[in-house]
Amino acid sequence: MTLIDSHAHLYFADFENDLPDVIDRAKSEGVNKIINIGIDLETSKKSIELAETYESIVASVGIHPNEASSLANDYIDELIAYIKHPRVVAIGEIGLDYFRDHTPREKQLQILYEQLDLALDLNMPIIVHNRNAWTDMLNVLEDTRYKNKLRGVMHCYSGDSIVARRILDLGLYISFTGVITFKNWKAVDVLRSVPIDRLLLETDCPFMAPVPFRGKRCEPVYVKLICEKIASVLDVPFETIAETTTKNSMHLFGF
Ligand SMILES: [Zn+2]
Ligand SMILES: [Zn+2]
């Protein structure tokens, strides 16, 4: 049995003392593939380095909306060079974050458009982050320039089932983190509204550790707990969720 953690940030200082153990622990529970996600140019480069070092890691590169305020205007050339690296499987995480609002909204939208254009030009899947910006996000993705032309995933999904329907109609996947194991998580209907052939698993580690590790450092092996939770909510066997989400990731990211 194989599990895929489709969203990890293993370059953070949280992992500097024991990364080889973290990766071995993941492997020992069947987590044989981890997509490590950049949030700016520096961490995108680090993600590629990790993917060159560890056989179970592949990289995604991109500029997160919260990291865009001081971005150099010529970032795009460097980003293109990263995207073309053979260990890079996606562009991300990219998106909109009106919750933190670290970057002016106009600038967030500008770099989102630029990176979506890259995804079209270079035929790459996207990994999308969205917080408190559903109206603008749907306006962008449903624009005729992009509508049904993009492949990708809406990560750490926080919307309702009506928005989920529109995301699915665009051909995108939806992924859930350890948040779904929290006591105060109430979106059972949202999870049930997503067909399992459109679901991906992710930890978003070191953040969002599932119960019983809530508040501690999260790591890829915990993707198993998220898989268990989904299996129990949907009342299907664990193996079905593991196999289907693994197949979905392989299909989307081409590995
Ligand atoms: Zn995110
Ligand atoms: Zn993330």
Side-chain angles (χ1 to χ4, degrees):
M1 192 219 31
T2 304
L3 288 164
I4 294 176
D5 182 358
S6 69
H7 196 115
H9 301 276
L10 298 174
Y11 43 70
F12 282 132
D14 308 68
F15 296 106
E16 71 187 352
N17 294 322
D18 66 343
L19 185 57
D21 293 340
V22 166
I23 290 164
D24 283 348
R25 226 171 1 252
K27 257 190 216 155
S28 71
E29 294 288 337
V31 185
N32 292 325
K33 196 64 94 186
I34 300 164
I35 306 181
N36 200 71
I37 315 277
I39 54 173
D40 57 15
L41 288 175
E42 193 193 336
T43 55
S44 292
K45 187 161 182 262
K46 281 187 186 161
S47 297
I48 292 174
E49 286 164 7
L50 287 172
E52 286 173 331
T53 309
Y54 297 96
E55 162 269 311
S56 60
I57 297 182
V58 289
S60 176
V61 297
I63 313 294
H64 189 292
N66 291 341
E67 309 301 322
S69 58
S70 58
L71 192 63
N73 285 327
D74 60 353
Y75 79 97
I76 211 101
D77 294 333
E78 199 174 335
L79 187 58
I80 290 172
Y82 292 160
I83 295 168
K84 290 183 171 168
H85 188 283
R87 300 287 288 171
V88 169
V89 299
I91 298 176
E93 54 186 296
I94 60 175
L96 299 173
D97 195 322
Y98 296 172
F99 177 74
R100 292 206 190 90
D101 255 337
H102 287 179
T103 306
R105 293 180 183 187
E106 262 166 50
K107 177 87 176 181
Q108 292 192 35
L109 281 160
Q110 180 208 324
I111 65 145
L112 174 60
Y113 280 122
E114 287 169 355
Q115 294 180 98
L116 291 178
D117 288 343
L118 283 183
L120 288 183
D121 289 349
L122 302 172
N123 189 27
M124 292 290 279
I126 49 172
I127 295 173
V128 185
H129 169 102
N130 186 79
R131 258 190 111 177
N132 292 18
W134 287 114
T135 305
D136 280 4
M137 180 56 75
L138 288 167
N139 275 339
V140 171
L141 296 176
E142 289 172 348
D143 186 312
T144 50
R145 177 166 177 76
Y146 304 112
K147 192 170 184 179
N148 300 321
K149 293 177 190 137
L150 294 165
R151 301 175 294 127
V153 58
M154 193 60 67
H155 110 91
C156 195
Y157 187 69
S158 61
D160 61 22
S161 54
I162 295 161
V163 170
R165 186 66 256 159
R166 288 167 71 177
I167 301 293
L168 294 167
D169 285 346
L170 290 166
L172 301 173
Y173 291 80
I174 287 179
S175 74
F176 293 93
T177 62
V179 169
I180 66 169
T181 67
F182 296 175
K183 254 209 185 88
N184 54 356
W185 180 70
K186 299 227 161 49
V188 172
D189 64 310
V190 179
L191 176 53
R192 288 202 178 123
S193 75
V194 182
I196 62 170
D197 63 357
R198 303 292 286 283
L199 274 178
L200 300 187
L201 303 178
E202 63 163 312
T203 59
D204 204 10
C205 64
F207 316 109
M208 313 283 184
V211 171
F213 303 103
R214 187 174 182 181
K216 305 223 172 72
R217 181 188 74 174
C218 186
E219 56 175 84
V221 70
Y222 297 162
V223 84
K224 197 179 167 193
L225 298 168
I226 299 164
C227 188
E228 277 168 5
K229 174 71 183 193
I230 293 176
S232 107
V233 169
L234 301 181
D235 196 22
V236 294
F238 175 87
E239 290 73 20
T240 306
I241 301 300
E243 267 169 37
T244 309
T245 54
T246 294
K247 219 172 66 193
N248 295 344
S249 265
M250 291 171 73
H251 177 74
L252 176 59
F253 299 112
F255 49 72

